[in-house]
Amino acid sequence: MEALLVSYGIDWANLLVRWLHLITGIAWIGASFYFVWLDNSIRPPKPGSDLEKKGVSGELWAVHGGGFYNPQKYLVAPAELPQELHWFKWEAYATWITGVAMLFIVYYFNASAMMVDKSVANLSGIEAVGVGIGTLVLGWIVYDLLCRSPLGKREGLLGLVMFVFIVAVAYLLTHLLSGRAAYIHVGAMIGTIMVGNVLMVIIPGQRKLVEAMQQGRSPDPIHGRRGKQRSVHNNYFTLPILFIMISNHYAMTYTHAHSWLVLAAIMAAGVLIRHFFNLRHKGRVAIGYPIAGVALLLAVAVAIAPRPVAPASAAAGSAPVAAAAPDFTRIQAIITQRCASCHSDKPTQAGFATAPAGMMLQTPELIHQHAAKIFQRAVQTKDMPLANMTQMTDEERADVAAWFQAGAK
């Protein structure tokens, strides 16, 4: 009972932290989308106008919610510091804090099941957690050094080098951790880079601008340029990280033999699509970018499409012949031994208070009901049992395949 209550409590912590992570993430990404749109959409004031004399570098008019808005941007700072100044930082901090909390709740507290895949690398749970945390630290250090190097002045080349670095990290992680854990840690690394930009560059730069004005000095424009650079980088990171956040629901991506390459292609598609919108805000319609992004996604979908399972052979080296479907009692025995310890109304597997995804397989009726999903996850993607913790054999998977292909009777 104590173990059950602990697992149940962790499930509730997972629910509440995930919910909060989603709320704060929406607020942060929404702000990023809005301010990049705003920065790309403002237009210079008329020469000689009062706005130009005030130091306004751009403005726009917008209508929303029954009112008209007139945002104005000062290239460095206004002549006088406003009495009330709004800051945008807590959304970023709260999103990262809740994201790290989810890493601990979902992955680190049960690392042996959620992060370790012995068929990938013979790591212990502690070693897997060390790889995960090390990835977050290394990612920020490398990115920040690249931005501060001479490469930071060449945006296109910097973006290409950073993309290659992220793909290299994805390759390394998919050869150390389970596919699902590898993906989520690539996303966590990107999220750490994003919050590092806010905490270490954007906000300190803004504080220096405000401090200079309070002391009657002219603010150094370098802080504004650095802040804008990192803000734009964060904007391009958003679509890749949003995909990674939902990727654990789509095993065909992270269980593929070349899952790192699948992730690289999908991230590239996200960047291309995001770039189209950023250009569109500036008044330039470059339709080639979203077309390339969609084409890339279609190419990935075709490349990783499941292949038909080869029928069993009568004997080694003989021509393939259709195998007789195993008796259902054999299939039920496999499911009971390999799957039902988690997928039941009362899971016996440590760390699970309820059946994952609500799928229960402890009765013949439930096994028949979920036959297609069993075939998909146990035979096609082979991501279940989770990290193969119950050691389902290839022979058992072949039996499940033959049973399903014969009509799952």
Side-chain angles (χ1 to χ4, degrees):
M1 177 58 72
E2 182 180 353
L4 176 63
L5 290 177
V6 169
S7 297
Y8 182 66
I10 291 176
D11 275 354
W12 264 101
N14 187 352
L15 167 63
L16 296 177
V17 174
R18 189 182 297 267
W19 193 8
L20 183 57
H21 184 60
L22 182 63
I23 293 168
T24 55
I26 289 172
W28 184 15
I29 291 175
S32 171
F33 280 11
Y34 174 73
F35 277 104
V36 169
W37 169 84
L38 183 63
D39 206 46
N40 288 336
S41 300
I42 57 175
R43 300 293 181 263
K46 295 180 179 179
S49 66
D50 291 339
L51 290 178
E52 185 183 54
K53 294 175 183 177
K54 287 169 54 180
V56 173
S57 63
E59 67 159 345
L60 64 78
W61 283 89
V63 59
H64 179 74
F68 291 90
Y69 298 82
N70 181 212
Q72 300 173 357
K73 178 181 178 179
Y74 292 80
L75 188 59
V76 179
E80 183 178 344
L81 187 66
Q83 186 174 2
E84 185 175 1
L85 190 62
H86 296 281
W87 297 71
F88 292 82
K89 55 183 179 179
W90 294 112
E91 304 92 336
Y93 301 159
T95 300
W96 186 81
I97 290 170
T98 53
V100 170
M102 283 190 61
L103 276 181
F104 275 89
I105 293 170
V106 178
Y107 290 91
Y108 296 169
F109 287 161
N110 197 14
S112 58
M114 300 299 297
M115 299 183 67
V116 176
D117 186 341
K118 295 296 184 181
S119 67
V120 173
N122 189 24
L123 299 180
S124 67
I126 294 297
E127 289 171 334
V129 171
V131 169
I133 294 175
T135 299
L136 309 190
V137 176
L138 177 67
W140 165 251
I141 292 174
V142 171
Y143 165 79
D144 189 53
L145 289 176
L146 287 174
C147 287
R148 295 178 186 275
S149 73
L151 190 64
K153 298 178 181 180
R154 304 178 64 182
E155 283 296 331
L157 185 57
L158 173 63
L160 179 60
V161 170
M162 194 60 203
F163 180 75
V164 171
F165 170 72
I166 292 174
V167 173
V169 171
Y171 175 84
L172 180 63
L173 289 180
T174 55
H175 287 75
L176 291 174
L177 307 176
S178 68
R180 182 173 170 179
Y183 269 37
I184 208 68
H185 277 86
V186 173
M189 183 187 74
I190 295 173
T192 299
I193 290 171
M194 292 173 68
V195 79
N197 281 337
V198 176
L199 178 65
M200 307 297 288
V201 179
I202 297 173
I203 294 301
Q206 291 175 351
R207 292 191 186 282
K208 290 177 181 178
L209 292 175
V210 171
E211 185 180 291
M213 293 192 64
Q214 290 173 336
Q215 297 175 356
R217 296 184 287 108
S218 296
D220 188 343
I222 188 63
H223 302 303
R225 290 197 294 269
R226 286 174 179 166
K228 180 180 178 180
Q229 179 193 46
R230 302 297 182 100
S231 180
V232 171
H233 290 179
N234 281 2
N235 184 261
Y236 281 100
F237 283 139
T238 52
L239 294 191
I241 201 173
L242 285 173
F243 162 72
I244 293 172
M245 286 174 65
I246 64 172
S247 65
N248 65 322
H249 296 288
Y250 304 99
M252 71 273 195
T253 58
Y254 62 77
T255 60
H256 192 269
H258 301 291
S259 57
W260 63 274
L261 194 56
V262 172
L263 180 58
I266 294 176
M267 288 193 299
V271 170
L272 290 170
I273 292 169
R274 184 67 243 166
H275 190 54
F276 164 77
F277 283 103
N278 288 342
L279 291 178
R280 178 68 182 83
H281 302 331
K282 293 180 178 181
R284 177 186 167 193
V285 178
I287 197 66
Y289 288 107
I291 290 176
V294 171
L296 199 51
L297 292 175
L298 288 174
V300 171
V302 171
I304 68 173
R307 303 295 188 259
V309 178
S313 298
S318 65
V321 296
D327 188 82
F328 178 71
T329 55
R330 162 68 174 161
I331 300 304
Q332 185 176 14
I334 294 172
I335 300 303
T336 299
Q337 183 180 7
R338 308 302 187 190
C339 309
S341 57
C342 294
H343 290 281
S344 65
D345 55 353
K346 296 178 181 178
T348 58
Q349 179 66 44
F352 293 88
T354 57
M359 183 187 294
M360 292 179 283
L361 303 172
Q362 74 268 24
T363 68
E365 293 77 15
L366 289 170
I367 293 173
H368 283 103
Q369 178 183 338
H370 297 296
K373 184 63 72 174
I374 293 170
F375 174 73
Q376 179 189 23
R377 304 298 292 273
V379 177
Q380 290 184 314
T381 62
K382 295 185 179 180
D383 66 311
M384 288 292 165
L386 188 64
N388 205 19
M389 66 174 71
T390 57
Q391 299 180 347
M392 179 181 266
T393 66
D394 289 340
E395 181 183 358
E396 289 169 338
R397 295 182 195 275
D399 284 344
V400 171
W403 167 71
F404 179 78
Q405 291 172 332
K409 298 177 181 178

